[in-house]
Amino acid sequence: MIRRVALGIAYRGTAYQGWQSQPGGCTVQDKLEAALSAFVDQPVTTLCAGRTDAGVHGLNQVVHLDSPVEREPFSWVRGCNRYLPQDIAVQWCREVAPGFHARNSARSRRYRYLLLESPVRPALEDGQAGWVFRPLDGDAMRAAAARLIGEHDFSSFRSSECQAASPVKTLYAIQITRRGAYWRLDFHGSAFLHHMIRNIMGCLVAVGSGRQPPGWIDAVLAARDRDAAAPTFAAEGLYFVGPQYDPALGIPEHTPAMDWFG
């Protein structure tokens, strides 16, 4: 009997060429599917809630798979982690209904960007935080971010490689907070285009550093042209926090890695 299983995956993306499987095999999906296949002793394929780029991290990436074997949830977690590298770990497992789909069942998605403001480049946090050496104005960035909330055509923030059917997405919230030298930007939206958050980050940093006024964001949105926006910001500080589903499905939205931010 085939059973549909959902898993939550946390990973540090520094060493990988993104989530999606590639011929070279150096992606998070490749490592996960190899571990799952070793655990059940037969080939396993997965579908994820949201693909991430090279260098981007995941706190609660959700995948589903159809398993021909029966295992207890804790066995999926421990058994799969036995075969995974140290920078990837299954966090939880749930058996779900046959109609559950990690991507299509998601109601919204959340991302987080961790940004170091310092005259000195990162060291211990290298690969895990973005970096700016100019002082940032948080109020200016919040004023700019507020102009992005709602349903918009985000073509100006869309990569030329984006495969989304439509550039129209809805941003529910952008929260910008600071603790010491670190800025944390939390994004919540219906879905996101390829490079959309990294392109928004480039624009918010341009505003925060005084190179552009907050109202410039209106012109960027209206242009619907990638050339109107700032350059794509670094991948290192970006984290896929995870998707959100109907609570009735019982899919966990929190993993211990989320507490690492404080």
Side-chain angles (χ1 to χ4, degrees), residues 57 59 111-112 114 128 236-241 260-261:
H57 317 290
L59 300 179
Y111 281 85
R112 178 171 296 166
L114 185 63
Q128 297 178 341
E236 289 84 355
L238 185 57
Y239 295 77
F240 181 39
V241 176
W260 175 76
F261 287 91

Side-chain angles (χ1 to χ4, degrees), residues 9-185:
I9 317 297
Y11 53 90
R12 186 170 65 243
T14 308
Y16 303 103
Q17 297 172 331
W19 171 268
Q20 189 170 10
S21 181
Q22 295 185 22
C26 190
T27 71
V28 181
Q29 183 179 14
D30 289 320
K31 300 299 183 183
L32 176 64
E33 291 183 354
L36 287 166
S37 298
F39 174 58
V40 302
D41 198 28
Q42 52 189 295
V44 173
T45 58
T46 62
L47 282 169
C48 74
R51 295 190 293 267
T52 52
D53 293 335
V56 176
H57 317 290
L59 300 179
N60 190 30
Q61 171 71 270
V62 176
V63 306
H64 78 258
L65 59 102
D66 289 325
S67 172
V69 300
E70 183 176 0
R71 297 284 190 273
E72 293 295 328
F74 73 88
S75 295
W76 282 102
V77 175
R78 295 180 183 178
C80 186
N81 284 343
R82 173 186 174 190
Y83 297 101
L84 282 169
Q86 292 297 308
D87 50 7
I88 305 173
V90 178
Q91 302 294 301
W92 53 262
C93 171
R94 296 286 188 278
E95 186 167 332
V96 292
F100 175 83
H101 192 285
R103 182 175 301 138
N104 296 340
S105 297
R107 291 181 167 183
S108 64
R109 292 163 177 81
R110 296 175 296 156
Y111 281 85
R112 178 171 296 166
Y113 199 97
L114 185 63
L115 180 64
L116 170 66
E117 179 194 311
S118 171
V120 180
R121 63 171 174 79
L124 294 178
E125 65 275 61
D126 179 52
Q128 297 178 341
W131 173 49
V132 292
F133 58 86
R134 293 186 177 91
L136 296 175
D137 181 336
D139 289 338
M141 290 195 295
R142 293 183 190 97
R147 298 168 184 269
L148 297 170
I149 303 304
E151 184 181 85
H152 300 285
D153 182 326
F154 283 97
S155 292
S156 293
F157 302 93
R158 181 182 191 175
S159 162
S160 61
E161 300 175 359
C162 183
Q163 299 177 356
S166 170
V168 177
K169 304 297 176 187
T170 302
L171 268 178
Y172 302 126
I174 302 176
Q175 295 182 328
I176 302 175
T177 56
R178 181 174 185 172
R179 189 177 70 173
Y182 293 92
W183 293 90
R184 194 175 97 179
L185 295 93

